[in-house]
Amino acid sequence: MKPSASPNQRTLEGTMSTTKNPLPVQPAAPGWLPGTHWSASQNQREAVQDTRKFTPSIRESSDTRMADQDVPHSGKDARKASHFLQRPGQKTQNPDQDLRNSSLDTQQAEQNPQPAILGLRESKQDLRETEQNLRETEQNLRETAQNLRENSLALQEGEEWFRLLVEGVTEYAIYMLDTQGRIVTWNVGAEQSKGYKAEEILGRNYSTFFLPEDAEAGVPARELAEAAREGRYGTEAWRLRKDGTKSWTLMTLTAVRDKSGELRGFAIVSLDMTERKAAEEELRSRNAQLEHFRIIVENVTEYEIFTLDVEGRINSWSPGARIILGYEAEEVMGREYAIEFTPQEADAGMPLLEMDEAARDGSCATDSWRVRRDRSKFWASGSLTAVRDEEKNLTGFIRVARDMTRQKQVEDAQAHFTAGLEVRVRERTLQLEGSMEDLRRKNAEVEAGAQIVARQLQEKEVLFREIHHRVKNNLQVVQSLLKMQVRALPPSQARAAIESMVLRVKAMAIVHERLYQMPNLAGLPLAGYLRDIFEGAIASHSMHPGQIEFHLDAEEIQLNFEHAIPFGLLANELLSNCVKHGFPEGRKGTISVSAHRAGKAVRVVIQDNGIGLPADFDVASLKSMGLKLAQSLAHQLGGTLQFTSRRGCHVDLLLRRL
């Protein structure tokens, strides 16, 4: 008789066939695990119960006892048979002896023959049945013992297979806890997932794997309590590895109880879902981006945007494509890309050529006429872009284009206008080329005349320089004669007047000298002219060069010949007045001159730190020839003089004709 597969064997086979199931599997035969040996003893008790099913004959011995009430001697034999039956497993030694004893009892019962005969017959029948039952019981006991041995071997083999199964699972962490939450078993998957070796983690509390804040909040104890109450508890949460890194863990916590229902511990099956969690987060992020792009695409109406599969069939349609091409989405889904091409281009295979170029180069830019649903044409400017997955496999195409018909019409009109303009330009160019000879001839004549004029100007410039040189020499002669006359006169007003005349003549001579020395006669630099006038005034009044310092702040202003002499005479009068009257008896000081443009005029300020003007100074009532000359010259240059006494003499001129 071949023994049937035990429940443990069937459960083990089911467990082995479902090891890769993503849901945790509760161990079916955890007899090899600490705290779960009760399952093997339970199987043995079940086998004993099976044995008891084969001993109904023992209960039938009660018929023998009933026979004792009628036949005492027969009852004695029945009690012997009952006593023998209470020791199942022993074999009947001498059934013939029992029959002889029964015969003696029969002879003794002849005194009361009728009841004795009936009791004897019943006793014999009971003995025969008892013997038969004993034989069957013995055979059943042998079969039960054999089944027990086979079940024990199968149980040991199942436990070994289950141990190998649990230890061979590396994707799942499988381990046991005692009732206090301490770790009592540890498999290879748990070591790889958590980073702890068995000797490092056995005996430690389940809370070792929790985040500090979760452990402090009592989450481990709540999970164990929930599993003990409900039988099972599942969750997904962050857990800690040995190196302190976090892992997203899918975990099932199952309460383990014995047959009486007493809690013996907990079984835990967990799976590290960190990579899947990251993939889900990335997928969620990409979905959010796709949703964002979808909203953008749905709100873009100026561009046609749709996608194609690798065969060139339309599989998405934007509102912009509906507006530009005139097709509703349900009309175009599954149709070929060629629907927007002209019949000539479609027959020539242009859609396939564009897709081939996009697949080869990544994109294909086009500017061409396309066809709407109503067969009207529009000028589309856009591109067809290849879409590939992470493995670089082609998954489809994206078409983005804009209706540029109006711009195309403008460009065509401009091109037509440009072509006409080019024709007119060529005609005009021919006319101009015909006139070029006349122009060259006239230019030659003008150049010849210009050369003549240039020679004449050069001759005149030489003449002017010679004139300036001679005037300067003549003025120097006049200046020398006046100086000789001054030396012959005693100190008096006449001598002072001649000395002033000498300075004025020198100022005019400086102008002619400067013009003679300049490379061209365009103008006279104002700054250098002022410095020369100051040096002449110092020399004329026989002052030591270091007695009075001269500070000049002037822009690059050019004086033309017409205004150079009046300005020089005006500056000479004012500077000579400062030198002569501001620093008497060898007093040292400073004269500052600034000259800057103020709009279309030139502002000149002369300031000294000498003794200043008299308290009753009034320029209008003075009879000085020098000041009257200064006022006249200022008026000639379009300006006025303003005298103030602030830490010396301050003269402000605003000349509008320079």
Side-chain angles (χ1 to χ4, degrees):
M1 177 178 178
K2 184 179 181 179
S4 61
S6 68
N8 291 332
Q9 285 177 311
R10 292 193 296 271
T11 305
L12 178 61
E13 293 173 357
T15 303
M16 292 175 63
S17 65
T18 58
T19 303
K20 296 185 179 180
N21 194 316
L23 294 177
V25 179
Q26 182 178 358
W32 67 280
L33 298 174
T36 59
H37 294 290
W38 55 270
S39 59
S41 60
Q42 181 179 358
N43 292 334
Q44 294 173 353
R45 286 195 296 272
E46 291 176 354
V48 172
Q49 290 177 0
D50 294 338
T51 305
R52 290 174 180 173
K53 293 179 182 179
F54 297 104
T55 58
S57 59
I58 298 175
R59 297 187 184 91
E60 293 177 358
S61 64
S62 59
D63 296 336
T64 306
R65 294 190 192 95
M66 293 176 61
D68 289 343
Q69 297 176 358
D70 297 331
V71 184
H73 298 287
S74 300
K76 181 177 179 182
D77 295 334
R79 282 193 300 272
K80 289 180 181 179
S82 284
H83 178 72
F84 183 78
L85 290 176
Q86 288 176 358
R87 293 180 295 165
Q90 288 187 359
K91 212 171 179 183
T92 304
Q93 299 294 327
N94 195 354
D96 294 335
Q97 183 66 32
D98 292 337
L99 291 176
R100 284 193 296 269
N101 292 336
S102 298
S103 298
L104 293 176
D105 292 336
T106 303
Q107 292 174 2
Q108 293 176 0
E110 287 179 352
Q111 299 175 0
N112 192 3
Q114 189 65 30
I117 290 172
L118 295 176
L120 182 61
R121 290 174 180 174
E122 292 177 355
S123 297
K124 288 182 178 181
Q125 182 65 28
D126 290 340
L127 286 174
R128 291 189 188 98
E129 292 177 355
T130 300
E131 184 177 5
Q132 181 65 27
N133 290 337
L134 286 174
R135 291 192 185 99
E136 293 177 357
T137 300
E138 184 178 5
Q139 180 64 27
N140 291 335
L141 287 174
R142 291 193 187 100
E143 293 178 357
T144 301
Q146 180 65 26
N147 289 337
L148 285 175
R149 284 193 295 271
E150 292 176 355
N151 289 340
S152 178
L153 292 175
L155 179 61
Q156 293 176 1
E157 183 180 0
E159 289 179 350
E160 179 64 17
W161 275 105
F162 188 77
R163 183 185 64 80
L164 294 175
L165 171 66
V166 173
E167 290 183 353
V169 173
T170 58
E171 295 87 358
Y172 290 87
I174 304 174
Y175 54 99
M176 295 283 293
L177 309 178
D178 62 13
T179 57
Q180 302 301 317
R182 293 184 293 267
I183 300 168
V184 295
T185 67
W186 195 250
N187 79 328
V188 177
E191 179 178 336
Q192 294 183 0
S193 174
K194 305 295 185 181
Y196 292 95
K197 294 185 177 299
E199 58 270 17
E200 296 176 315
I201 197 65
L202 290 177
R204 296 181 63 176
N205 195 275
Y206 173 50
S207 61
T208 302
F209 309 126
F210 284 73
L211 302 179
E213 55 270 23
D214 291 341
E216 293 176 0
V219 175
R222 286 201 299 270
E223 290 187 358
L224 295 177
E226 179 73 14
R229 183 174 62 256
E230 301 295 336
R232 180 172 176 165
Y233 176 79
T235 184
E236 289 187 41
W238 289 109
R239 294 290 187 261
L240 285 179
R241 300 187 182 96
K242 179 184 176 182
D243 58 6
T245 59
K246 294 193 299 184
S247 65
W248 184 258
T249 304
L250 172 64
M251 184 271 294
T252 300
L253 181 65
T254 305
V256 178
R257 298 181 182 274
D258 57 18
K259 187 174 182 180
S260 64
E262 181 181 356
L263 181 67
R264 302 296 301 275
F266 302 89
I268 295 179
V269 180
S270 67
L271 179 63
D272 188 347
M273 303 283 287
T274 306
E275 294 182 359
R276 186 180 301 180
K277 177 74 171 176
E280 290 176 354
E281 292 295 333
E282 183 179 359
L283 180 61
R284 189 177 297 108
S285 175
R286 290 186 177 182
N287 288 337
Q289 292 179 357
L290 289 175
E291 179 64 17
H292 183 65
F293 293 151
R294 183 188 64 79
I295 294 173
I296 293 175
V297 169
E298 289 184 352
N299 287 275
V300 173
T301 58
E302 296 180 354
Y303 289 82
E304 62 171 69
I305 303 175
F306 58 89
T307 59
L308 311 172
D309 61 16
V310 293
E311 301 297 331
R313 291 184 294 269
I314 298 171
N315 53 21
S316 72
W317 197 250
S318 72
R322 177 180 57 81
I323 293 173
I324 294 175
L325 293 172
Y327 292 96
E328 297 294 336
E330 55 271 14
E331 295 180 282
V332 297
M333 298 300 289
R335 297 183 64 178
E336 294 185 353
Y337 178 41
I339 64 169
E340 72 164 353
F341 285 79
T342 63
Q344 296 79 8
E345 290 179 336
D347 294 340
M350 289 300 297
L352 293 178
L353 292 176
E354 286 189 10
M355 289 191 293
D356 290 342
E357 182 178 346
R360 184 180 63 255
D361 300 333
S363 65
C364 175
T366 58
D367 291 281
S368 61
W369 291 105
R370 298 296 167 96
V371 180
R372 298 187 179 94
R373 185 176 185 274
D374 59 3
R375 312 315 298 169
S376 61
K377 293 183 179 180
F378 70 99
W379 185 260
S381 176
S383 63
L384 184 69
T385 303
V387 179
R388 298 184 181 274
D389 58 18
E390 294 180 355
E391 286 76 25
K392 306 300 182 182
N393 297 320
L394 182 66
T395 59
F397 303 90
I398 296 178
R399 168 66 176 173
V400 180
R402 187 177 184 182
D403 184 357
M404 301 291 288
T405 306
R406 182 172 300 176
Q407 290 83 345
K408 177 64 175 176
Q409 292 172 349
V410 172
E411 290 177 359
D412 290 344
Q414 289 178 345
H416 180 71
F417 175 77
T418 302
L421 184 60
E422 289 178 354
V423 172
R424 291 193 293 270
V425 168
R426 283 195 296 270
E427 294 175 352
R428 184 59 178 166
T429 301
L430 293 175
Q431 294 176 358
L432 292 175
E433 288 178 354
S435 303
M436 285 297 292
E437 286 298 326
D438 296 336
L439 290 175
R440 280 194 289 269
R441 186 177 61 257
K442 292 179 179 180
N443 286 337
E445 295 175 354
V446 171
E447 288 178 0
Q451 292 177 359
I452 295 172
V453 171
R455 285 195 301 270
Q456 293 176 350
L457 289 175
Q458 186 177 6
E459 292 174 355
K460 289 181 179 181
E461 184 176 352
V462 173
L463 179 60
F464 283 146
R465 290 183 184 278
E466 185 62 26
I467 291 173
H468 287 308
H469 182 63
R470 292 184 181 277
V471 171
K472 186 260 299 182
N473 291 339
N474 291 334
L475 290 175
Q476 286 181 347
V477 171
V478 173
Q479 183 180 359
S480 299
L481 293 173
L482 291 174
K483 286 182 178 181
M484 292 174 59
Q485 186 66 37
V486 167
R487 285 194 292 270
L489 293 175
S492 62
Q493 291 183 354
R495 180 171 178 170
I498 293 174
E499 289 177 349
S500 299
M501 187 63 66
V502 170
L503 292 175
R504 296 183 186 108
V505 172
K506 185 174 182 179
M508 290 186 290
I510 290 174
V511 172
H512 293 283
E513 183 178 4
R514 284 278 183 175
L515 290 174
Y516 176 73
Q517 294 174 352
M518 289 176 59
N520 57 65
L521 302 176
L524 184 67
L526 183 142
Y529 191 22
L530 287 173
R531 191 174 297 278
D532 291 340
I533 293 174
F534 172 76
E535 292 176 355
I538 292 295
S540 298
H541 290 83
S542 302
M543 289 188 174
H544 189 273
Q547 180 180 348
I548 301 175
E549 295 182 2
F550 182 68
H551 294 169
L552 179 61
D553 178 20
E555 292 183 12
E556 293 293 333
I557 300 174
Q558 297 290 329
L559 296 174
N560 58 36
F561 181 71
E562 179 183 358
H563 298 139
I565 292 178
F567 179 80
L569 293 173
L570 175 60
N572 177 73
E573 292 296 333
L574 297 175
L575 290 174
S576 297
N577 185 63
C578 291
V579 172
K580 182 177 179 181
H581 301 290
F583 304 96
E585 299 177 356
R587 178 172 177 167
K588 293 184 178 182
T590 302
I591 297 177
S592 301
V593 178
S594 66
H596 298 277
R597 290 199 175 275
K600 295 183 179 181
V602 175
R603 184 177 182 182
V604 180
V605 178
I606 300 175
Q607 170 77 46
D608 67 50
N609 59 355
I611 62 175
L613 298 173
D616 57 349
F617 179 81
D618 183 8
V619 68
S621 61
L622 292 176
K623 298 180 180 180
S624 172
M625 180 181 176
L627 291 178
K628 288 182 179 181
L629 179 60
Q631 285 183 329
S632 176
L633 293 171
H635 181 72
Q636 182 180 347
L637 296 173
T640 57
L641 291 173
Q642 291 184 357
F643 290 88
T644 57
S645 182
R646 294 181 300 181
R647 298 179 183 177
C649 179
H650 181 91
V651 183
D652 196 340
L653 297 90
L654 187 63
L655 308 176
R656 296 179 178 83
R657 294 178 182 172
L658 288 184

